[in-house]
């Protein structure tokens, strides 16, 4: 029987041989070509059309957080294994010469760089909380935002990338409002995925906390029902499923960190529902085959792939 790893390599090979994906010379970094991008655009539109659609602010951000904001997200505390940050060159001509010299002689030239105090974004919703830092919300706010996310988890699995796109809807408000948003997500998230012919199971989940307390944090998150994932068994019924999206209730985590309150003076709560756009697209190719013209007609229509007839 083929191992999980063999199946991941086989799916990657199929995507490459079909011309949908181009491997770059680092594990977890890939490029994608036109047909793949057309499917991904269709997925992104479905996320946009997914409820809630009223009073939602669509907004796009850079894929970087300033260091003070990054520190407040708590990502460094909980997931240091995934983070990445930017270094820049601020030296003079002499230092430039030394850096080029180091590069040309095969030495480590990065020692000539200094931290830019910019951190790579890990989740699009992290950009939304600072918009309301230190404020009292008179009513809840809901955002739709997508971004390139960085997570240092290099893998041969074409579903697990170091740089990938995620699109999310995020609500910040009272506990009731944040929970209601989460419930909408749990209802419409699986519907979105099954409407494009994917077999989805909603499962309780936890984030990959780091270090000795990881088990405790993970169990706490699961027991409180804070995270559910929409999983697809891309590698077979006998294998663990892969999360194509997730619905997350953060309690007052971001309200506390960013000092956001609601009209009653209590800390704001938040929730988000997000989809990995490459992941959903790869799951579509794994499910329906590498040739888009032979996909079921309703799936093509729903993804807007029939424009040319
Ligand atoms: P996993 O358990 O597979 O690591 P996750 O719990 O880290 O997923 P979330 O943080 O909930 O994922 O992110 C939302 C979505 O973003 C996931 O459901 C998935 O579709 C996508 N995603 C997360 N990490 C990656 C990755 N490394 N490569 C591609 N897509 C990803
Ligand atoms: Zn989020
Ligand atoms: Mg993960």
């Amino acid at each position: 029987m083929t191992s999980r790893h063999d199946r991941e390599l086989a799916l990657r090979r199929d995507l490459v041989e079909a011309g949908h994906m181009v491997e770059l010379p680092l594990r977890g970094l890939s490029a994608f070509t036109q047909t793949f991008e057309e499917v991904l655009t269709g997925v992104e539109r479905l996320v946009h059309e997914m409820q809630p659609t009223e009073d939602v602010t669509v907004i796009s951000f850079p894929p970087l957080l300033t260091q003070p904001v990054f520190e407040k997200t708590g990502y460094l505390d909980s997931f240091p294994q995934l983070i990445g940050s930017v270094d820049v060159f601020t030296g003079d001509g002499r230092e430039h010469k030394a850096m080029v010299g180091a590069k040309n002689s095969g030495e480590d030239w990065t020692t000539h760089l200094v931290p830019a105090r910019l951190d790579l974004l890990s989740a699009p919703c992290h950009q939304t909380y600072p918009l309301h830092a230190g404020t009292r919300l008179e009513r809840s706010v809901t955002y739709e935002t997508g971004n390139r996310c960085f997570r240092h988890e290099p893998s041969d699995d074409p579903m697990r990338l170091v740089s990938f796109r995620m699109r999310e809807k995020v609500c910040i408000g009272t506990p009731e409002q944040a929970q209601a948003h989460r419930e909408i997500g749990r209802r419409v998230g699986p519907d979105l995925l099954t409407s494009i012919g994917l077999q989805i199971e909603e499962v309780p989940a936890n984030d990959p906390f780091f270090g000795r307390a990881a088990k405790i944090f993970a169990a706490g998150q699961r027991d409180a029902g804070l995270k559910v994932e929409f999983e697809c068994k891309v590698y077979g019924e006998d294998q663990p499923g892969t999360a194509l999206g997730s619905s997350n209730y953060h309690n007052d985590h971001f309200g506390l960190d960013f000092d956001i309150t609601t009209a009653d003076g209590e800390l704001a709560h938040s929730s988000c529902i997000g989809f990995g756009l490459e992941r959903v697209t790869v799951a579509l190719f794994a499910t329906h085959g590498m040739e888009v013209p032979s996909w079921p007609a309703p799936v093509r229509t729903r993804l807007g792939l029939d424009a040319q007839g």
Side-chain angles (χ1 to χ4, degrees), residues 95-280:
E95 283 176 58
H96 178 224
K97 221 173 145 191
M99 181 168 73
V100 172
K103 186 259 300 174
N104 288 343
S105 50
E107 288 162 22
D108 182 11
W109 53 270
T110 62
T111 54
H112 297 276
L113 302 178
V114 293
R117 317 233 171 264
L118 288 172
D119 298 281
L120 303 177
L121 189 71
S122 307
C125 69
H126 290 170
Q127 294 279 19
T128 63
Y129 313 111
L131 296 177
H132 301 282
T135 70
R136 177 190 282 228
L137 293 174
E138 291 310 320
R139 53 199 291 258
S140 68
V141 288
T142 306
Y143 292 102
E144 176 187 332
T145 186
N147 216 318
R148 290 247 172 215
C149 298
F150 176 91
R151 294 186 187 179
H152 189 241
E153 45 185 2
S155 167
D156 290 328
D157 184 353
M159 313 269 293
R160 188 169 299 283
L161 306 169
V162 167
S163 175
F164 60 95
R165 285 163 279 182
M166 196 200 299
R167 192 152 193 96
E168 290 197 87
K169 294 202 181 184
V170 196
C171 173
I172 315 170
T174 64
E176 294 73 28
Q177 288 163 333
Q179 281 167 29
H181 181 261
R182 190 264 303 263
E183 289 311 315
I184 294 173
R186 284 181 64 167
R187 187 162 45 76
V188 299
D191 286 353
L192 184 160
L193 296 166
T194 52
S195 80
I196 44 178
L198 299 173
Q199 285 209 2
I200 298 300
E201 202 182 331
E202 188 191 295
V203 295
N206 59 263
D207 288 312
F209 294 97
F210 182 81
R212 283 167 55 189
K215 276 199 178 128
I216 297 166
F217 286 130
Q221 190 183 23
R222 265 172 191 267
D223 292 348
L226 298 183
K227 184 179 185 86
V228 297
E229 290 184 334
F230 315 132
E231 285 192 1
C232 182
K233 289 195 178 281
V234 181
Y235 294 115
E237 284 303 317
D238 58 328
Q239 293 292 317
T242 304
L244 304 187
S246 70
S247 168
N248 304 274
Y249 179 43
H250 315 124
N251 274 318
D252 61 4
H253 169 71
F254 293 109
L256 185 67
D257 288 349
F258 289 96
D259 184 25
I260 311 170
T261 52
T262 50
D264 56 9
E266 298 292 325
L267 283 176
H269 284 225
S270 60
S271 62
C272 67
I273 165 169
F275 293 87
L277 300 181
E278 286 89 350
R279 271 227 188 143
V280 176

Side-chain angles (χ1 to χ4, degrees), residues 20 283-292 294-295:
H20 299 315
L284 284 164
F285 280 106
T287 302
H288 301 308
M290 294 297 141
E291 301 298 327
V292 173
S294 63
W295 287 9

